[in-house]
Amino acid sequence: MRAIDGTIELRKDEPTMQLFASSLRISLVLMLLCGVVYNLAATGIAQTLMPHRASGSLIEEDGRIVGSELIGQTFTEPRWFHGRLSSIGYAADGSGTPNYAPSNPDLLERARQSALDWQAANPDVPLSEVPLDLVTNSGSGLDPDISPQGARVQIPRVSAATGIPQAELEQLVERHTAPRRLGLFGEPTVNVLELNLALREAASK
């Protein structure tokens, strides 16, 4: 705004430039706070309080990273405990699974084929004893855990393939069964990778 000969002249470019400068400053400050300071603070706190989880809950064996507690792996040989089905092959960069309705023919066919595959690989265990988590996909396709019953029904096959007595495998499953969180939340689970690492150690004795 400028006075000329007693009159008032408005200059429209001045408020516009001031608004642009203010917006730019606010944007830069927010980018610094939210994009740099917050992330560094959150990472630093996580690495200090829970370094294992903050680094991806990685599992090491003999100093070598063999997997993560959070992402399943494919085990198909009879001597291993098998995890849940995964439509994406446990590819962490493509999490997800076909979102079929219960009435979808493709889902029914997939479940039927899963049941047939189970019967072929585990002829000593009736299909009626198999929990659903072994013949259905998880929502993410990455689930690393199975139910304790899902591990127990595989014991006859694993015992026959490894020569480890079933009673010893029962104890192995029991030792690697995680209880409900705080005794209340969720269900007991067995991490398949950790169980198979313990199985390999037991088989080498």
Side-chain angles (χ1 to χ4, degrees):
M1 178 181 297
R2 182 176 302 171
I4 300 177
D5 298 332
T7 64
I8 296 178
E9 177 186 0
L10 293 176
R11 295 190 59 182
K12 297 181 179 179
D13 58 330
E14 289 184 358
T16 301
M17 292 303 297
Q18 291 175 359
L19 181 61
F20 174 77
S22 298
S23 299
L24 181 60
R25 286 195 297 270
I26 292 173
S27 298
L28 291 175
V29 170
L30 290 176
M31 288 172 59
L32 180 63
L33 289 176
C34 299
V36 179
V37 176
Y38 172 80
N39 289 323
L40 289 176
T43 301
I45 293 172
Q47 288 288 354
T48 301
L49 298 180
M50 49 186 74
H52 176 67
R53 293 187 179 183
S55 298
S57 300
L58 301 178
I59 299 175
E60 294 187 9
E61 185 183 47
D62 299 328
R64 181 172 60 93
I65 297 174
V66 296
S68 168
E69 297 174 9
L70 307 176
I71 300 176
Q73 297 185 23
T74 301
F75 294 94
T76 57
E77 296 182 19
R79 63 194 180 102
W80 300 118
F81 287 92
H82 299 170
R84 297 195 65 176
L85 302 175
S86 174
S87 298
I88 59 172
Y90 293 107
D93 59 345
S95 174
T97 189
N99 191 23
Y100 295 141
S103 59
N104 190 298
D106 291 338
L107 176 62
L108 298 176
E109 175 58 26
R110 188 176 68 187
R112 187 187 72 83
Q113 187 60 51
S114 297
L116 293 176
D117 292 343
W118 168 266
Q119 290 177 321
N122 303 270
D124 298 329
V125 180
L127 189 59
S128 59
E129 297 182 10
V130 181
L132 284 177
D133 57 291
L134 289 188
V135 292
T136 57
N137 289 32
S138 67
S140 66
L142 303 176
D143 197 341
D145 303 322
I146 56 176
S147 64
Q149 177 63 11
R152 293 190 190 98
V153 294
Q154 300 184 61
I155 286 177
R157 183 196 72 241
V158 174
S159 178
T162 61
I164 300 176
Q166 293 193 25
E168 184 175 341
L169 292 176
E170 288 274 4
Q171 295 175 0
L172 200 65
V173 170
E174 184 66 26
R175 287 200 300 271
H176 286 82
T177 297
R180 291 181 173 88
R181 293 177 179 83
L182 302 178
L184 298 172
F185 304 107
E187 296 294 332
T189 58
V190 177
N191 186 283
V192 178
L193 176 57
E194 292 181 341
L195 178 60
N196 280 332
L197 291 175
L199 173 64
R200 181 164 66 183
E201 182 180 352
S204 64
K205 293 180 180 179

